[in-house]
Amino acid sequence: MAETVAVSSNTPFLWEGTDRKGNKIKGKSLASNEAAVRADLRRQGVVPSRIKKQSAGLFAGSATIGAADIAIFSRQLATMLAAGIPLVQAFEIVGNGHENAAMQKLILAVKADVEGGSSLAEALAKHPLHFDDLFINLVEAGEQAGALETLLDKIATYKEKTEAIKKKIKKALTYPAAVLVVAFVVTIILLIFVIPAFEDLFKGFGADLPSFTRFVIDISQFVRDQGWILAIFAGGAVFTFLYFKKRSRPMRHFLDRVMLKTPIVGPILQKASIARYARTLSTMFSAGVPLVEALESVSGATGNIVYEVGVLQMKDEVATGQRLQQAMENTDLFPNMVIQMIAVGEESGSLDEMSAKVADFYEEDVDNAVDNLSSLLEPMIMAILGVLVGGLVVAMYLPIFKLGAVV
């Protein structure tokens, strides 16, 4: 009982001591108090000489756990099990050596449950925010088949590939978004601080201003007078949008469907969803998970509610005896090439291999499409910047050019 308390609490302790051979060793443990750490060390044959609570520090590890952390953990655990290291010891090594305090706490909590007699799948299932059904189902299949290290390796590969696709898409969308935000900020600064200075200068001309210049000055005046109202309205609109996007499934379904039909970006998102579908199906089926049960997990891994609903529809049809190929055709979400390759996999008994080939093809296709998108967006972004900033500059210099022509 003391062991469970020692590893599942929040406080990290640094300790020094000697092992059974008299060698000096040191390490770090999570425990509720110093007594729990001391008891845990003695159980391991370590005589502690110094125990102190670790301070958080200004640059302490991250307090959150991301999908990348789970992918790295899967790879580390698979590598250690393949090297013959016992499961509990592997958790101890990975957990105590992790820089992310939250991830360290999670790993050692799972280790405590395993030491308490739970299977690894049962221990992971207690943390649904970090280990989804797909992860748990594959671990359970690996434990039942006696090939846990092999299944963990498949999970690690799957996680790494899906994370690579996500990062690629985020990178392609983040760059133009960041540039447009900067352009917007620069435009607001010009309208609030620079345009008024020119307006004061133009008042001494005693002549009518060009219509374009007058238009820009009016916009500047409106932003200065009513800008706070616009800012509040825009902030409220963004907050409302994000709130309902997170909590309203019909809204997310609508947005995902719109995004799939968006020019340029839509085809990339479609290919990414197909790649995740095929990669997850291949991983689950190769682990021996029944097709109907596999499709349940595959639906949540596509990353798009439209495909999630489509795969769940496929699951219901397959459960009634329909072939997977026909079920895919009925959704109208998959290209003919994907359907035919899955059909070949079904007929030849190599559905996992054909799904993996589909995943490889579409993952590479997403990489190429994202690279092409980045090349396409750069000149478009420069054009937008030129119109925004250049238009303001031209508007301010038109009266000066007009005055020069008169002189």
Side-chain angles (χ1 to χ4, degrees):
M1 182 67 68
E3 173 191 329
T4 302
V5 174
V7 294
S8 61
S9 302
N10 298 341
T11 309
F13 287 86
L14 299 175
W15 54 264
E16 296 178 4
T18 54
D19 60 13
R20 292 186 177 93
K21 297 181 180 180
N23 299 320
K24 291 185 177 181
I25 57 175
K26 59 182 180 178
K28 180 168 67 174
S29 298
L30 295 177
S32 57
N33 51 50
E34 183 177 329
V37 177
R38 196 177 298 275
D40 187 56
L41 291 175
R42 285 175 178 169
R43 181 187 62 78
Q44 299 177 43
V46 177
V47 179
S49 59
R50 183 168 178 262
I51 300 175
K52 69 173 184 177
K53 185 182 297 185
Q54 183 183 23
S55 59
L58 180 62
F59 301 102
S62 171
T64 60
I65 300 174
D69 293 316
I70 301 299
I72 294 172
F73 161 71
S74 304
R75 176 61 65 195
Q76 289 174 323
L77 194 60
T79 301
M80 290 189 178
L81 291 179
I85 299 175
L87 181 61
V88 173
Q89 186 178 351
F91 270 105
E92 184 77 29
I93 295 171
V94 175
N96 286 327
H98 214 288
E99 296 181 356
N100 186 331
M103 190 67 192
Q104 182 185 71
K105 177 185 174 183
L106 173 64
I107 294 172
L108 295 181
V110 174
K111 166 183 171 285
D113 289 332
V114 172
E115 284 183 312
S118 299
S119 67
L120 179 56
E122 292 172 342
L124 296 176
K126 294 181 180 180
H127 308 277
L129 291 178
H130 308 301
F131 302 102
D132 53 21
D133 291 340
L134 182 148
F135 198 114
I136 295 168
N137 289 340
L138 289 176
V139 168
E140 185 176 10
E143 287 182 305
Q144 293 175 354
L148 183 57
E149 66 276 5
T150 302
L151 266 297
L152 281 171
D153 182 72
K154 290 182 180 294
I155 293 172
T157 301
Y158 164 77
K159 288 286 185 182
E160 289 164 355
K161 288 184 177 293
T162 52
E163 281 305 302
I165 292 179
K166 290 179 183 178
K167 288 181 179 178
K168 199 80 174 178
I169 294 175
K170 286 181 180 179
K171 180 181 178 182
L173 299 179
T174 300
Y175 171 70
V179 174
L180 291 178
V181 168
V182 171
F184 176 77
V185 172
V186 170
T187 302
I188 294 298
I189 292 175
L190 290 175
L191 289 173
I192 294 176
F193 299 104
V194 179
I195 303 301
F198 278 91
E199 183 181 4
D200 294 337
L201 176 65
F202 296 153
K203 288 178 180 178
F205 281 9
D208 293 335
L209 296 176
S211 57
F212 185 40
T213 304
R214 186 72 262 168
F215 174 71
V216 172
I217 291 176
D218 290 342
I219 292 178
S220 173
Q221 187 68 44
F222 178 79
V223 170
R224 281 178 285 154
D225 294 341
Q226 309 295 334
W228 62 275
I229 297 178
L230 291 176
I232 293 175
F233 178 79
V238 170
F239 175 81
T240 303
F241 172 79
L242 295 177
Y243 179 87
F244 284 103
K245 180 178 181 293
K246 184 177 181 180
R247 291 167 174 80
S248 173
R249 185 175 177 85
M251 183 176 180
R252 282 188 289 136
H253 190 282
F254 170 76
L255 291 175
D256 283 354
R257 184 172 294 278
V258 170
M259 289 298 293
L260 288 175
K261 295 180 179 180
T262 303
I264 302 176
V265 176
I268 296 178
L269 297 178
Q270 181 186 32
K271 292 172 184 177
S273 294
I274 293 174
R276 291 177 190 151
Y277 162 82
R279 179 64 62 191
T280 311
L281 181 63
S282 172
T283 304
M284 295 288 287
F285 204 72
S286 64
V289 179
L291 181 57
V292 174
E293 185 179 341
L295 289 174
E296 181 77 35
S297 298
V298 170
S299 64
T302 57
N304 187 291
I305 293 184
V306 175
Y307 275 87
E308 179 182 342
V309 172
V311 175
L312 289 176
Q313 175 187 325
M314 290 162 48
K315 185 203 76 169
D316 294 338
E317 294 180 3
V318 170
T320 60
Q322 186 79 268
R323 292 184 60 187
L324 180 59
Q325 169 202 0
Q326 186 61 49
M328 290 174 64
E329 287 182 357
N330 294 339
T331 63
D332 198 28
L333 293 174
F334 298 92
N336 185 61
M337 185 200 77
V338 176
I339 296 174
Q340 294 306 317
M341 291 185 71
I342 294 297
V344 172
E346 279 189 295
E347 293 172 359
S348 62
S350 57
L351 182 59
D352 54 339
E353 295 179 8
M354 295 305 294
S355 298
K357 290 180 179 180
V358 170
D360 290 338
F361 174 81
Y362 274 93
E363 285 166 357
E364 184 177 355
D365 205 7
V366 169
D367 287 343
N368 295 332
V370 169
D371 290 337
N372 293 335
L373 177 63
S374 300
S375 302
L376 177 65
L377 287 178
E378 286 180 5
M380 293 177 60
I381 291 172
M382 295 305 297
I384 293 174
L385 288 175
V387 170
L388 285 176
V389 180
L392 295 178
V393 172
V394 169
M396 292 302 99
Y397 276 93
L398 278 178
I400 298 176
F401 296 151
K402 183 179 180 180
L403 180 64
V406 172
V407 173

